[in-house]
Amino acid sequence: MKAAELTMKMQQTLVRDKSLPEGFGKMILDETDRLLSGFFEYGKGDLTLRLIPTGRGWAVEILLDAVRVKNLKLL
Amino acid sequence: MARTIVVASGKGGVGKTTLTANLGRTLAARGRKVTLIDADIGLNNLDVALDMEDRVVYDILDVAEGRISAAEALVQDKDFPELKLLPSVKCGVSDKIKAARFAAITALLNMGVDYLIIDAPAGVESGFHRAVCAAKEAIIVTTPHLSAVKDADRTARLLSTYDVRSVGLVVNRVRYDLVDRGEAVPPEKIAQLMRLRLLGALPESDLIGINALCGERGESARAYACLADVIEGRSDRIYSPPDSRGIFSFFRRRTY
Ligand SMILES: Nc1ncnc2c1ncn2[C@@H]1O[C@H](COP(=O)(O)OP(=O)(O)OP(=O)(O)O)[C@@H](O)[C@H]1O
Ligand SMILES: [Mg+2]
């Protein structure tokens, strides 16, 4: 196969569009779990995840009782 | 304070351990103080790659369980006394060392060295998490193969959720003969597609295939020297063999 063809194939595999990337939800859950386990009592307080488009990608804000605990930036 | 760099990939067998060993030696040969940490816990490889296997007495589990201090567990390289290794455990006990403990161990080793390089395991599971949590910078290694690039890309995206400040790409096992014939995607193009900064390109090498270390001369040694220059911020030249790209090599690297 020629390099141009391979490049095209690679580009297709790495396609990034407006939709959220595959595995995005699991990533948020894993990350939230990692962040919160230890100091967040489940069932107590309000956990909010806010998804923010950044132009280049997405960021997720994790809020506990409306207080921002962490920003996750996602490509 | 050392620069703490994790070497990760996603796909296994693309050359993380080989890169960690050779980059460590290249930096140490320049007089830098380098400590390598084998975070592939349960599958010790870095000591083997560095030819230190028979001098390993203690390992990271001994440190984690408080039998010995982190400094005491380090194995010194025969050629470069300023190059040291914290070996991993030989058998499968990987979940005995939690990420926080691992990070604490790396923090202890941080003092008085220039570079702390962590060889991460393949995959993006707990071993990856442990290795990445401790680092501030990341080198993602891939080969030019589609499956490796795809996994590396996922890893890069995952890394963006950690406190890793900078992520760069190294393309290993580049077949410049194929690149020249237009039959393989050049490293610069791979980095561009992945939207990552290219830190280096390393050629396919029989020497490395046989004994892991690239030696002080030859193509691989020159490629590692370029990579070390980029990592140290001395240049942004990406290695390409003079005979293949010839006079155009200079222009090539600006095209992408
Ligand atoms: N540039 C190269 N040229 C030829 N062979 C190479 C090159 N880089 C690595 N290899 C070979 O590829 C194999 C895998 O390398 P290595 O163990 O460094 O990969 P790894 O990413 O650490 O693997 P793992 O995911 O299992 O930890 C080794 O046999 C090594 O010798
Ligand atoms: Mg390895």
Side-chain angles (χ1 to χ4, degrees), chain A residues 1-11 13-17 20-23 27-28 30-31 34 56 70-75, chain B residues 129 133 144-146 149-150 153-154 156-165 179 181-186 189-190 193-196:
Chain A
M1 214 185 301
K2 289 278 166 253
E5 234 175 294
L6 283 167
T7 306
M8 184 106 84
K9 226 172 157 185
M10 214 172 262
Q11 196 157 22
T13 342
L14 307 180
V15 74
R16 289 181 173 82
D17 54 13
L20 295 175
E22 185 194 339
M27 197 193 288
I28 295 175
D30 286 351
E31 194 58 23
R34 187 166 72 85
R56 274 191 70 221
K70 181 157 180 169
N71 262 346
L72 305 176
K73 59 180 167 64
L74 302 170
L75 289 177
Chain B
H129 172 63
C133 276
H145 302 98
L146 196 59
V149 171
K150 194 174 172 181
D153 186 59
R154 280 175 170 237
R157 291 211 229 176
L158 199 57
L159 275 177
S160 67
T161 66
Y162 286 84
D163 287 331
V164 173
R165 275 189 269 108
V179 171
R181 293 208 301 266
E183 286 168 16
V185 185
K189 189 72 200 173
I190 296 174
L193 292 174
M194 290 179 69
R195 297 188 195 168
L196 285 179

Side-chain angles (χ1 to χ4, degrees), chain B:
Chain B
M1 275 282 271
R3 282 174 63 184
T4 312
I5 308 175
V6 64
V7 180
S9 69
K11 191 173 162 66
V14 296
K16 295 176 292 298
T17 302
T18 307
L19 181 143
T20 307
N22 286 293
L23 179 62
R25 286 177 66 90
T26 306
L27 289 167
R30 297 176 173 191
R32 307 285 176 269
K33 295 185 174 72
V34 184
T35 296
L36 308 179
I37 302 179
D38 191 343
D40 200 346
I41 291 163
L43 292 166
N44 66 308
N45 273 326
L46 195 50
D47 54 343
V48 180
L50 287 161
D51 199 16
M52 290 185 182
E53 196 185 8
D54 45 359
R55 288 185 297 126
V56 172
V57 181
Y58 300 106
D59 58 46
I60 192 167
L61 190 63
D62 293 316
V63 179
E65 296 185 339
R67 282 188 287 276
I68 193 163
S69 78
E72 283 170 307
L74 296 179
V75 185
Q76 197 173 40
D77 188 74
K78 274 184 278 193
D79 303 325
F80 308 107
E82 296 294 5
L83 177 64
K84 287 164 188 161
L85 167 74
L86 179 61
S88 97
V89 196
K90 283 186 205 266
C91 45
V93 287
S94 87
D95 37 340
K96 277 198 189 166
I97 305 172
K98 300 283 177 236
R101 176 58 58 88
F102 184 82
I105 294 172
T106 57
L108 285 173
L109 292 172
N110 212 305
M111 308 301 172
V113 296
D114 301 309
Y115 291 94
L116 215 55
I117 308 179
I118 303 169
D119 179 18
V124 288
E125 285 81 40
S126 62
F128 168 85
H129 172 63
R130 177 172 47 214
V132 172
C133 276
K136 289 279 175 280
E137 298 172 62
I139 296 176
I140 293 189
V141 188
T142 185
T143 62
H145 302 98
L146 196 59
S147 59
V149 171
K150 194 174 172 181
D151 282 2
D153 186 59
R154 280 175 170 237
T155 307
R157 291 211 229 176
L158 199 57
L159 275 177
S160 67
T161 66
Y162 286 84
D163 287 331
V164 173
R165 275 189 269 108
S166 76
V167 180
L169 184 75
V170 171
V171 183
N172 186 28
R173 311 195 71 156
V174 178
R175 290 272 311 269
Y176 285 100
D177 54 334
L178 296 183
V179 171
D180 283 346
R181 293 208 301 266
E183 286 168 16
V185 185
E188 293 83 353
K189 189 72 200 173
I190 296 174
Q192 189 197 39
L193 292 174
M194 290 179 69
R195 297 188 195 168
L196 285 179
R197 177 175 176 221
L198 186 64
L199 300 175
L202 303 167
E204 172 74 27
S205 149
D206 290 345
L207 190 62
I208 283 185
I210 294 164
N211 64 10
L213 298 177
C214 67
E216 277 151 53
R217 263 177 268 273
E219 214 190 352
S220 292
R222 284 194 292 279
Y224 272 104
C226 281
L227 173 61
D229 282 344
V230 171
I231 286 173
E232 296 219 274
R234 291 178 176 196
S235 93
D236 54 8
R237 196 175 86 79
I238 301 302
Y239 174 80
S240 66
D243 47 321
S244 71
R245 292 180 184 187
I247 187 172
F248 294 109
S249 66
F250 178 80
F251 300 100
R252 270 296 267 279
R253 71 170 207 265
R254 279 163 195 253
T255 335
Y256 293 103

